[in-house]
Amino acid sequence: MVRGTRPEVDVSEGPVRDGPSRGETPVPRAWIGAAEVLGADLHLELAGTGSRRAVLTRALREAVRGGRLAPGVRLPPYRSLAADLGLARNTVADAYAELVAEGWLTSRQGSGTRVSTRAAASVSAETEPTAEEAGGRGATAALAYDLVQGRPDPAHFPRTAWLASARRAWTAAPDEAFGIGDPRGRVELRRALAGYLGRVRGVRTEPERIVICAGAAHALRLLARVVGGGEATWAVEAYGLPFHRALLADAGVRTVPVEVDEDGARVGRLPRDAGAVLLTPAHQFPTGGPLHAERRAAVVGWARSTGGLVLEDDYDGEFRYDRRPVGALQDLDPDRTAFIGSVSKSLSPALRLGWLVLPAGLVSEVVAAKGEREPYSSATEQLTLADFVASGGYDRQVRRMRRHHRERRDRLVAVLAARVPRVRVTGIAAGLHAVVELPAGTERATVAAAARHGVAVEGLDGYRHPDAVSLPRRDGLVVGYATPPERLYGPALDALCAALTETMNTTDS
């Protein structure tokens, strides 16, 4: 904040000096600290030549464009800014009016002058990466539609119900809840989860066998430290999250791919020397479909005969639409299975809350691997989730989102059937995404065509294990239907259909 004398500004009307007098020596750049208004400071850089209004207008515009003035920020009243800069009130008022007319600012009676939200959209458009920077997205098309999987629409977070749970939980919490805490997590949440997971997912456990984590990835890291490391080898599904494979590699775990088909992983081909197998039995990610009942029994038999551990990633386990609920694999043998879950899809990834349901013999080792206090999840968020589960709020949220996602899925399937009938949509009985199967050899071209039409979408090949060269390959798009806001979902499907039609027509020619 600059106080005292005000620097000069080179303007056609004469540079502005401290007070009303005029000087002759121009100053090419000047930093002005201006206007403590309602507890806020405004820092402007005035530079260049032109009228006083032009210089101020340019400085304000650059502050918005550069992100220093964020959308919705209230600017100082023009009288205050004029007094601090030594400018005439009309000069500042005219500059504000010009920026309002251009859409950079808004002005309403009783609300003052604020940075427009439309200005932020303009800035995003100006800074859209080039085709080279975006990895070949196309020369001009901005990726306006997000159909990438695994991203629930944040607008559906249950703010009112969550706040009510927070108030109840924090009011009832004992004083010790706001201390260092138990590395296993708050007992209130572990009790609530034990009841919920038993009732809804068929998990057999007690609160003492649950460890609260900062999401599913954190849970997997802990298991990699305890069960993996060194020369450990784990089996993983041939199609899965690259992030998980990289996480395991960082922990010193070598992964070997196991083929997947419409019945899930082909567990009869599990290597007997693997220390663990990582599966998504409720809804194989990303190809879709639950692990067949015979294979569920077979993988438990493999774990018992080899001493291996089954890691059950309950991916999308709560979101099933056209089938009977599929219970947790953990129920078949709680002593040979580690069950991993989180609220990243059902509530929000921003909460950073997940859980591990462990065999009794692994609890102390996982807690030790968790280490000191830094990796602990927020106690206040744990208390809130405990109340949210116990009060029925979590059940209501899951049912509400299940209806919403099913409607989104049905709309996707119907539009594709009507407009691109040659493609087959699979993996739709559960989850937040579908797989659009493509003719062999067309996946990369279809992803590129989607980008040209402004659609961000991923191909199946990006999820394929790099060592799965001898296993069958599938071409397809992994289409996430949960992310776009409602006003953009229809246009997103239109653009996706246009991209698929373009690829189909090219294949025919």
Side-chain angles (χ1 to χ4, degrees), residues 1 31 48 53 115 175 223 226 228 250 256 268 322-323 337 349 409 415 427 437 453 482 484 508:
M1 192 74 176
W31 286 88
R53 185 180 75 178
V115 178
D175 291 342
L223 288 170
V226 172
D250 288 344
V256 294
D322 301 323
R323 69 181 191 206
T337 307
R409 183 212 61 174
V415 168
E437 297 188 351
H453 287 274
D508 293 337

Side-chain angles (χ1 to χ4, degrees), residues 296-464:
R296 292 161 71 89
V299 72
V300 170
W302 168 87
R304 290 171 177 169
S305 65
T306 64
L309 180 69
V310 179
L311 279 63
E312 179 177 8
D313 183 354
D314 195 41
Y315 197 92
D316 293 339
E318 292 160 317
F319 294 115
R320 76 291 187 276
Y321 311 118
D322 301 323
R323 69 181 191 206
R324 297 178 64 183
V326 177
L329 178 64
Q330 186 265 5
D331 180 47
L332 298 180
D333 194 336
D335 292 325
R336 304 262 24 123
T337 307
F339 180 90
I340 303 171
S342 79
V343 298
S344 63
K345 304 296 186 299
S346 54
L347 286 173
S348 168
L351 293 177
R352 309 308 308 149
L353 282 173
W355 47 85
L356 266 172
V357 180
L358 294 165
L362 285 181
V363 173
S364 60
E365 294 181 72
V366 169
V367 169
K370 193 175 181 182
E372 295 300 325
R373 294 180 290 276
E374 285 72 14
Y376 297 3
S377 300
S378 164
T380 55
E381 299 288 22
Q382 292 184 54
L383 290 167
T384 303
L385 180 58
D387 180 272
F388 199 60
V389 172
S391 66
Y394 191 69
D395 285 87
R396 289 188 292 272
Q397 171 69 5
V398 168
R399 287 196 298 270
R400 183 169 71 95
M401 296 312 300
R402 192 181 292 148
R403 289 192 298 269
H404 172 73
H405 295 322
R406 178 171 184 162
E407 291 170 358
R408 284 288 184 94
R409 183 212 61 174
D410 290 349
R411 191 171 170 187
L412 168 68
V413 172
V415 168
L416 290 176
R419 296 172 59 178
V420 198
R422 288 179 54 188
V423 300
R424 179 169 174 252
V425 185
T426 62
I428 59 175
L432 307 183
H433 73 274
V435 174
V436 178
E437 297 188 351
L438 299 171
T442 64
E443 179 182 305
R444 183 174 298 181
T446 306
V447 172
R452 287 193 296 274
H453 287 274
V455 180
V457 69
E458 297 171 322
L460 268 175
D461 198 57
Y463 296 93
R464 183 179 171 84

